[in-house]
């Protein structure tokens, strides 16, 4: 048996080495192409510069994909009854004669690697998982799917060649790294179905902790970018995560899968130019997240369109004119009838009002209005009195000014929110200059939608640019035909750049453009989103092509969803569809959390009066410890002791927000320097002290949960935060408490 194992390992090592040789060759060629494109002299015309920039971006993206494939380039092999062997890997490779060497995991030809079963082998005799470390093959794990074909020796495969078993469990037992791992080598059939689901409509992926929801969603993003490259390569995929630590955690998954056209944001980063991170009570965030706040913002905008309470006397070059309230109201009514945003409709308002005043000015000057209209309008525009009154009646304003004024001015808020109680309005009050919170972002976006931008100059510029576009496309197409370049279209050469010599990625352009429309949106921890935040996402992706990932058992905010129907009803209805545009895929297998730990977490939910959703843990493990401590230094001592074990992995200390600073200080003092992380990249260190919200979506080898009753008390929903905290561990869980045993775990006397 040992001889057969070594023979198989040797054969696969030779194949994998050959694939890496090919990867190295392609990287060198791409680097040479990139250097040539960067150094090449051009004619200096805008078209030539655009062409050069396009090829630089093309080769840069290609090189990034090739570099990302270095880790686990090849991870699988299919032995097929019909056409021999097919190797599966991180990207597709072919030799110089275009003969396939490695099949991209996202390609249709790779589907049997994930979907074939013994009941439906799909022509697969054996599925081999190739386990690598660096460029070396260290183990082989085989799944035999067609015993009859194996017995008959079909495809040259015999029982003596079958190797190992249990690749999924081996992957689950692997040490955490502080970064999310890809699962392309171990993806299960139920996960693969979700990854390859159609692009259209909203796909809700629901499941408890450890089901792989997030990693499945990211692989789905990579698959869609690959399968719908022409569409999504230009528009990109937006990935919304619960916090910056989480985005840092998942940040390497998509590049590792060969995709770079994804934009990662927190909910507080969805309004360009603002990174909203300030804290506010959950009660305040819930008020801001209500659907009714859209009407509040709309009324606040309309309140900026004022009618004077009496006539105004205006001096225009020594001539006295009278602006009456009726004239202003007529201009306002006409501007509102245009149904354009405030700042855009202001032009209609101003021109209508100036027309009325021009009648008076023409009469006073004894000139014919039709013959001198433009000169009269110019005189009115230059008059300080006229400019002042026009601005007072219809002042241009930014979204930031509007929302800041709403919170700082009780009278404005009362006028805009007459249905809100006085106590609720008082909760929203804050001074000008206060930092933005994540719950402010949907209101800023709503305000920007209502206000718009008066872009008359930009429209004229765009009209000129569009007149040149066809010529640019024709030129780009001729270049592609002359050079014989494949894999890039004339549209890609032109559309990806905002100007000659300027190379901007999808992420860079999207970050500057509030009206950017993404081809697909992935939302993690979607159960936490408020109705107002769903409106933002619907604007970012009007097609509603979304992958929504969440677990209703983990809702931790008052603004969050109670059901997916409630969360998505208004979003789908706003698209004027007659049928639901969403469906739910349920994941019920917990691959991460050992069974004893999961049982404790589920019991905590039941004690809180909630029945957890069905979930089956497939891993056994050590039962959790519940330890009484006197002070935080005792907790820190337990953490220090855990770090002394060999290969202890990653450790998280999860605590209530009110205690985080004190706990973190104690742990830092107890552990060796550099052991405990801090800030957004704290997961790069071995130990992290986190609140529950910071720990959402993450996993660790060892977890310490400090004061479970306090975590439960400070949470917005009974049981939710504690449930999340208890389910972060993949190996060991320790719960510490001081005083009486925790009621939240059913241990009170």
């Amino acid at each position: 048996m040992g001889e057969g194992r070594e023979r198989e390992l040797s054969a696969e090592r030779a194949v994998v080495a050959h694939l890496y040789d090919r990867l190295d060759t392609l990287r060198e060629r791409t680097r040479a192409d990139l250097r040539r494109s960067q150094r090449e002299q051009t004619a200096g015309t805008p078209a030539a510069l655009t062409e050069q920039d396009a090829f630089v971006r093309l080769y840069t993206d290609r090189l990034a994909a090739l570099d990302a494939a270095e880790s686990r380039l090849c991870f699988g092999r299919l032995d097929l009854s019909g056409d021999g062997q097919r190797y599966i890997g991180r990207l597709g490779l072919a030799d110089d004669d275009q003969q396939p060497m490695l099949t991209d995991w996202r390609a249709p030809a790779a589907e049997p690697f994930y979907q074939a079963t013994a009941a439906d082998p799909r022509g697969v005799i054996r599925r081999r998982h190739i386990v690598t470390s660096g460029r070396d093959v260290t183990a082989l794990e085989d799944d035999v799917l067609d015993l009859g074909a194996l017995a008959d020796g079909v495809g040259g495969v015999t029982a003596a060649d079958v190797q190992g078993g249990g690749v999924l469990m081996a992957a689950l037992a692997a040490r955490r790294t502080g970064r999310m791992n890809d699962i392309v080598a171990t993806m299960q059939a139920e996960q693969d179905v979700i990854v390859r689901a159609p692009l259209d409509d909203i796909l809700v992926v629901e499941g408890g902790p450890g089901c792989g929801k997030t990693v499945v969603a990211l692989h789905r993003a990579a698959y869609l970018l690959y399968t719908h490259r022409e569409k999504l390569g230009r528009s990109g995929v937006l990935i919304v995560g619960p916090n910056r630590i989480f985005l840092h955690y998942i940040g390497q998954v998509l590049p590792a899968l060969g995709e770079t056209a994804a934009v990662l944001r927190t909910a507080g980063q969805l309004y360009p130019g603002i990174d909203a991170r300030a804290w506010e009570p959950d009660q305040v965030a819930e008020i801001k997240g209500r659907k009714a706040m859209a009407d509040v913002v709309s009324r606040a905008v309309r309140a900026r369109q004022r009618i004077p309470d009496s006539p105004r006397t205006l001096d225009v070059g020594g001539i006295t004119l009278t602006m009456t309230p009726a004239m202003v109201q007529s201009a306002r009514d006409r501007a509102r009838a245009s149904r354009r945003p405030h700042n855009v409709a202001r032009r209609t308002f101003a021109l209508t009002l100036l027309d009325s005043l021009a009648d008076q000015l023409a009469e006073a000057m004894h000139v014919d209005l039709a013959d001198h209209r433009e000169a009269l309008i110019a005189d009115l525009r230059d008059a300080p009195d006229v400019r002042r009154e026009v601005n007072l009646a219809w002042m241009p304003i930014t979204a930031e000014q509007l929302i800041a004024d709403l919170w700082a001015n009780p009278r404005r808020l009362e006028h805009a929110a007459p249905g809100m109680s006085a106590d609720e309005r008082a909760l929203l009050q804050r001074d000008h200059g206060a930092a933005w919170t994540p719950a402010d972002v949907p209101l800023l976006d709503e305000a920007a939608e209502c206000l718009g931008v008066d872009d008359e100059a930009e429209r004229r510029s765009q009209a000129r640019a569009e007149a040149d576009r066809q010529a640019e496309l024709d030129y780009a197409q001729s270049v592609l035909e002359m050079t014989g370049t494949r894999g890039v279209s004339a549209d890609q050469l032109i559309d990806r750049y905002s100007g000659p010599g300027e190379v901007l990625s999808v992420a860079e352009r999207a970050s500057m453009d509030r009206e950017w429309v993404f081809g697909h949106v992935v939302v993690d921890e979607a159960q936490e989103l408020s109705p107002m935040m769903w409106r933002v996402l619907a604007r970012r992706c009007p097609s509603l092509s979304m992958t929504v990932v969440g677990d209703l058992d983990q809702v931790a905010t008052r603004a969050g969803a109670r059901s997916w129907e409630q969360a998505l009803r208004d979003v789908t209805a706003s698209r004027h569809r007659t049928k639901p545009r969403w469906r739910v895929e349920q994941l019920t297998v917990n691959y991460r959390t050992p069974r004893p730990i999961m049982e404790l977490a589920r019991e905590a939910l039941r004690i809180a009066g909630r029945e957890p959703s069905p979930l089956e843990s497939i891993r056994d493990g050590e039962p959790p410890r519940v330890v009484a401590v006197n002070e935080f230094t005792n907790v820190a001592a337990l953490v220090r002791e855990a770090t002394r074990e060999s290969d202890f992995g990653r450790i998280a200390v999860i605590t209530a927000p009110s205690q985080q600073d004190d706990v973190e200080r104690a742990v830092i003092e107890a552990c060796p320097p550099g052991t405990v992380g801090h800030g957004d990249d704290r997961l790069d260190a071995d130990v992290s002290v986190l609140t529950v919200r910071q720990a959402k979506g993450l996993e660790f080898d060892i977890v310490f949960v400090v004061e479970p009753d306090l975590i439960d008390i400070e949470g917005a929903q009974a049981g939710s935060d504690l449930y999340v905290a208890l389910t972060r561990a993949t190996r060991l869980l320790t719960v510490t408490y001081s005083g009486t045993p925790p009621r939240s775990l059913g241990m009170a006397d």
Side-chain angles (χ1 to χ4, degrees):
M1 197 66 160
E3 182 180 340
R5 177 181 180 277
E6 288 303 317
R7 182 179 65 251
E8 291 293 309
L9 276 173
S10 178
E12 298 298 7
R13 282 170 177 153
V15 171
V16 170
H18 185 49
L19 292 172
Y20 273 110
D21 287 343
R22 182 61 178 171
L23 179 69
D24 291 339
T25 298
L26 293 176
R27 280 200 286 214
E28 284 305 312
R29 289 180 184 175
T30 305
R31 286 193 187 99
D33 289 337
L34 178 59
R35 287 193 296 268
R36 185 182 66 252
S37 296
Q38 291 170 330
R39 296 171 182 171
E40 201 168 52
Q41 296 295 318
T42 71
T45 64
L49 291 172
T50 298
E51 171 202 336
Q52 183 183 42
D53 289 339
F55 282 115
V56 167
R57 172 61 65 182
L58 173 68
Y59 295 132
T60 299
D61 288 350
R62 177 61 174 164
L63 187 59
L66 292 170
D67 286 340
E70 175 65 31
S71 175
R72 292 199 294 172
L73 171 65
C74 173
F75 52 76
R77 187 183 99 184
L78 294 175
D79 294 323
L80 305 170
S81 58
D83 62 340
Q85 297 174 343
R86 184 180 302 158
Y87 283 89
I88 311 298
R90 202 172 291 281
L91 81 174
L93 294 177
D95 61 21
D96 287 335
D97 295 326
Q98 298 305 305
Q99 294 301 308
M101 299 172 62
L102 186 66
T103 299
D104 192 301
W105 71 272
R106 294 157 292 195
E111 289 183 16
F113 186 78
Y114 305 104
Q115 297 181 355
T117 64
D120 180 19
R122 301 183 62 171
V124 178
I125 302 170
R126 173 177 59 179
R127 172 174 48 215
R128 167 166 287 179
H129 300 268
I130 300 173
V131 183
T132 59
S133 176
R135 294 190 170 196
D136 183 38
V137 177
T138 58
L140 304 174
E141 305 282 348
D142 289 345
D143 301 324
V144 176
L145 303 181
D146 191 337
L147 289 172
L150 182 72
D152 295 338
V154 175
V157 183
T158 66
D161 300 326
V162 176
Q163 302 294 312
V167 65
L168 174 61
M169 300 308 294
L172 293 172
R175 181 182 184 273
R176 304 300 105 181
T177 65
R179 294 287 190 279
M180 176 171 283
N181 295 317
D182 66 79
I183 59 167
V184 290
T186 59
M187 199 183 317
Q188 302 303 289
E190 65 171 357
Q191 298 171 329
D192 185 68
V193 168
I194 295 171
V195 167
R196 299 174 192 270
L199 175 66
D200 297 335
D201 298 342
I202 300 175
L203 175 63
V204 178
V205 183
E206 183 177 19
C211 290
K213 302 183 299 296
T214 299
V215 72
V216 166
L218 295 176
H219 284 69
R220 174 163 166 74
Y223 170 76
L224 293 175
L225 282 163
Y226 174 85
T227 307
H228 304 277
R229 186 172 299 278
E230 188 68 20
K231 176 180 180 180
L232 299 184
R234 291 197 300 271
S235 58
V237 170
L238 172 64
I239 298 175
V240 182
N243 55 60
R244 293 163 62 92
I245 296 173
F246 176 83
L247 294 183
H248 188 71
Y249 176 62
I250 69 172
Q252 297 302 312
V253 174
L254 283 173
L257 298 174
E259 296 299 344
T260 57
V263 180
L264 277 64
R265 293 285 184 272
T266 66
Q269 296 171 324
L270 290 177
Y271 187 83
I274 286 179
D275 185 0
R277 289 191 272 175
W279 178 88
E280 66 186 349
D282 191 68
Q283 185 180 2
V284 177
E286 186 274 328
I287 296 171
K288 292 180 180 179
R290 294 173 185 170
K291 183 178 73 168
M293 290 302 293
D295 293 330
V296 172
V297 172
S298 177
R299 280 192 291 269
V301 171
R302 292 171 71 88
R304 298 299 181 124
Q305 302 160 7
R306 307 183 184 96
I307 298 173
D309 55 7
S310 61
R312 297 290 190 264
T313 300
L314 310 176
D315 184 313
V316 180
I319 298 174
T320 299
L321 304 180
T322 300
M323 184 184 78
T324 66
M327 292 165 59
V328 178
Q329 181 166 346
S330 176
R332 188 187 71 172
D333 292 346
R334 183 172 180 184
R336 285 181 173 179
S338 71
R339 305 184 70 84
R340 293 178 177 177
H342 173 89
N343 289 331
V344 180
R346 180 178 183 273
R347 173 177 169 79
T348 300
F349 169 78
L351 289 176
T352 303
L353 188 56
L354 291 177
D355 271 341
S356 298
L357 292 172
D359 280 336
Q360 287 188 43
L361 186 59
E363 184 177 349
M365 295 177 66
H366 306 291
V367 298
D368 184 81
L369 175 63
D371 293 338
H372 297 84
R373 184 179 181 279
E374 289 187 9
L376 294 170
I377 294 292
D379 288 343
L380 290 166
R381 280 177 168 163
D382 291 340
D385 281 5
V386 175
R387 291 202 304 270
R388 182 190 67 247
E389 292 301 328
V390 169
N391 283 334
L392 286 174
W394 196 297
M395 176 73 77
I397 189 172
T398 67
E400 292 88 335
Q401 290 172 324
L402 185 87
I403 300 302
D405 285 351
L406 203 58
W407 302 155
N409 189 320
R411 292 182 60 187
R412 288 190 189 279
L413 182 57
E414 183 178 4
H415 181 272
M420 191 181 295
S421 72
D423 289 342
E424 289 177 332
R425 290 198 299 270
L427 287 171
L428 297 178
Q429 292 298 305
R430 70 185 191 201
D431 294 335
H432 271 291
W436 297 111
T437 70
D440 287 325
V441 167
L443 303 178
L444 289 168
D445 199 72
E446 191 76 28
E449 193 75 5
C450 293
L451 292 170
V453 178
D454 189 359
D455 56 354
E456 180 185 0
E458 184 179 340
R459 288 197 302 271
R460 288 197 298 266
S461 176
Q462 185 170 348
R464 290 193 296 269
E466 288 177 354
D468 296 334
R469 176 177 173 79
Q470 190 57 50
E472 293 281 350
L473 285 171
D474 292 342
Y475 179 82
Q477 186 60 44
S478 67
V479 169
L480 291 174
E481 292 172 355
M482 285 188 295
T483 59
T485 302
R486 301 183 206 173
V488 62
S489 68
D491 275 330
Q492 289 172 318
L493 284 174
I494 301 301
D495 289 347
R496 295 181 64 175
Y497 307 96
S498 60
E502 186 178 12
V503 181
L504 297 175
S505 68
V506 167
E508 290 167 334
R509 287 179 291 150
S511 66
M512 297 183 292
D513 186 358
R514 191 193 70 83
E515 297 181 344
W516 184 272
V517 173
F518 290 92
H520 191 76
V521 172
V522 176
V523 190
D524 199 23
E525 302 294 343
Q527 75 277 357
E528 307 294 358
L529 299 189
S530 69
M532 288 299 294
M533 186 57 74
W534 281 112
R535 288 173 66 88
V536 176
L537 295 178
R539 291 191 194 103
R540 299 297 184 271
C541 187
S543 68
L544 296 186
S545 175
M546 298 183 185
T547 302
V548 173
V549 179
D551 178 14
L552 296 176
D553 285 342
Q554 297 185 57
V555 177
T557 62
R558 289 181 175 89
R562 300 299 173 266
S563 70
W564 296 117
E565 194 278 334
Q566 173 249 324
L568 301 173
R569 179 179 57 237
D570 293 330
V571 173
T572 53
S574 68
R575 309 279 55 85
H576 306 293
R577 300 284 179 162
T578 58
K579 64 181 181 67
R581 292 203 53 187
W582 56 276
R583 63 186 179 87
V584 178
E585 290 284 352
Q586 191 86 30
L587 295 175
T588 59
V589 179
N590 185 326
Y591 299 100
R592 176 183 72 206
T593 314
R595 189 176 293 109
I597 296 175
M598 199 64 227
E599 288 174 354
L600 177 66
R602 290 169 64 80
E603 183 61 23
L605 265 190
R606 293 190 182 98
I607 291 169
R610 299 165 56 189
E611 182 60 32
S613 301
L615 188 65
E616 179 185 359
S617 291
I618 65 172
R619 299 176 61 209
D620 287 319
E622 297 290 329
R625 296 188 301 164
V626 181
V627 180
V629 297
N630 293 325
E631 51 190 15
F632 295 144
T633 54
N634 299 134
V635 176
L638 292 172
V639 176
R640 182 183 65 239
E641 181 182 344
T643 64
R644 289 173 176 170
E645 298 179 10
S646 61
D647 194 29
F648 60 85
R650 298 280 165 163
I651 297 176
V653 182
I654 302 178
T655 179
S658 63
Q659 295 185 328
Q660 183 181 21
D661 291 344
D662 292 334
V663 173
E664 186 172 62
R665 191 178 305 111
V667 173
I668 290 174
E669 290 175 358
C671 294
T675 304
V676 183
H678 189 70
D680 294 337
D681 58 352
R682 67 184 66 200
L683 298 183
D684 291 342
D686 292 327
V687 180
S688 304
V689 180
L690 306 163
T691 64
V692 175
R693 293 199 182 183
Q694 290 172 333
K696 275 212 160 185
L698 310 182
E699 59 183 38
F700 303 88
D701 297 272
I702 301 172
V703 170
F704 293 85
V705 174
V706 181
E707 300 293 355
D709 281 357
L710 187 60
I711 288 175
D712 200 35
I713 290 170
E714 293 189 10
Q717 299 292 332
S720 290
D721 277 4
L722 184 56
Y723 181 70
V724 172
L726 295 172
T727 55
R728 300 304 97 194
T730 65
R731 285 173 47 203
L732 300 174
L733 170 67
T734 299
V735 180
T736 69
Y737 70 93
S738 59
T740 59
R743 293 178 177 274
S744 56
L745 298 180
M747 297 178 60
D749 295 335

